Each structure stands twice: as structure tokens, then as C-alpha cells.
Amino acid sequence: MFPTPTVEASQSAAADTTMHYGVVYAPRGSDVGEAIKAAQTAGSRPADGTHAARTVTVRTAGQVAQNTLKLTTPDLPAGGTATHTVNVHAVDAARLALSVESPEGQRQWDEDELEVDVVSVNGPGARCDHVTGTLSESGGEYLWCEVAPGDTTVTYTLKAAADVAAWGVRTARPISWP
């Protein structure tokens, strides 16, 4: 929906190389040279909606492959509850973020058709939060956790309305490592 910067390292970049980048908003007609200078110094000021700076650490495919994720998602019956489990092995700190979408071959449901709520989250060793309303196809995350290195198990319980329609639901965007 909104354009975001894409940062890529060359194939020859060494593991654990740190890259720094700055971003600045430059409205039409502004001085591009000034915008570049502002982007180069963005790290020296707080992010304010028009300036931002970030640091990226290069990870090799082998390093990333050491991080694993296993989802256990039993069916959620109409009017009932189901507890789902996410087992994460994180070599590095990670952000777990779950959202829902229609599976391939099934039409997208209307916003009010998916009458499912998150009623509890338990993630010892992780800082978790979740939406407090009904899940929807709006693309938003319904549960997110900051996961420390090591093994973490996050469980969350979903509750369906008694008259919820039968839907196939796919969990999307499960995890990212900074």
C-alpha cells in the first residue's frame, strides 16, 4: 500500500556486516541535494515522520536456516475455541507477526464474515500482544511477539461466534528476523 525502501546486500557481503541507511521525505519541487544530505544525517535525529534511519545486519542463508518455526493450528469449530501453538527456534532476536488470509482457491471473505476473536496469548520468554477485536481480511496482524534468541513457544486461543460461516483460513507472514 505504501512504498517502502528495499535494502539488499551483495552476494559477496560478509556475514554480520552492518549496513546503515537513512530515509527522508522530499516533497515535489524540493531541493534533491538537501534531501540527500538530510538522509545521510537522518541517524543523528529522532524519527519524526519525515526522517528515519535504520541499521541492517547481513545474515547468510546458512545463518537464517538455523532459525525455525512450527505452527500447530487445529480447526476452530463454530461457537468453540481452539488453541494454536507456534514453536520458534531463534538464533537471533525475531519478530513473530501473525495475520490471516483466504487460502488459494477460496474467495476472500467480507470484513464482517470472519467472526473470530483472540481471547488469550501466552508466550513465556517473548513479549506478545494481540488485537482485541474480530479478525478480518484487512491484512492486519492479529498477534505479534518480540522473540529472544533461543526456543520459545507461543500459544494463543481463538474463539469463533456460534453462527460463524465455515472458512478455510491461512496464517500468513509468520516471522521476520531483523
Side-chain angles (χ1 to χ4, degrees), residues 77-142:
T81 62
T83 299
H84 293 185
T85 303
V86 184
N87 293 301
V88 178
H89 174 74
V91 174
D92 305 298
R95 181 173 191 272
L96 171 69
L98 302 177
S99 62
V100 294
E101 61 185 33
S102 300
E104 189 174 322
Q106 178 178 292
R107 77 164 176 85
Q108 291 186 359
W109 53 85
D110 293 330
E111 189 169 333
D112 296 332
E113 287 183 297
L114 189 64
E115 299 175 274
V116 174
D117 297 307
V118 179
V119 293
S120 68
V121 176
N122 183 16
R127 289 186 331 229
C128 297
D129 204 353
H130 64 89
V131 299
T132 56
T134 300
L135 306 184
S136 72
E137 182 80 44
S138 62
E141 298 167 349
Y142 64 88

Side-chain angles (χ1 to χ4, degrees), residues 12 21 40 48 52 57 63 70 73 132 137-138 145 153 160 167:
S12 62
Y21 68 95
Q40 291 171 332
D48 61 4
T57 302
Q63 287 174 304
K70 179 184 177 207
T73 56
T132 56
E137 182 80 44
S138 62
C145 300
T153 299
W167 288 103

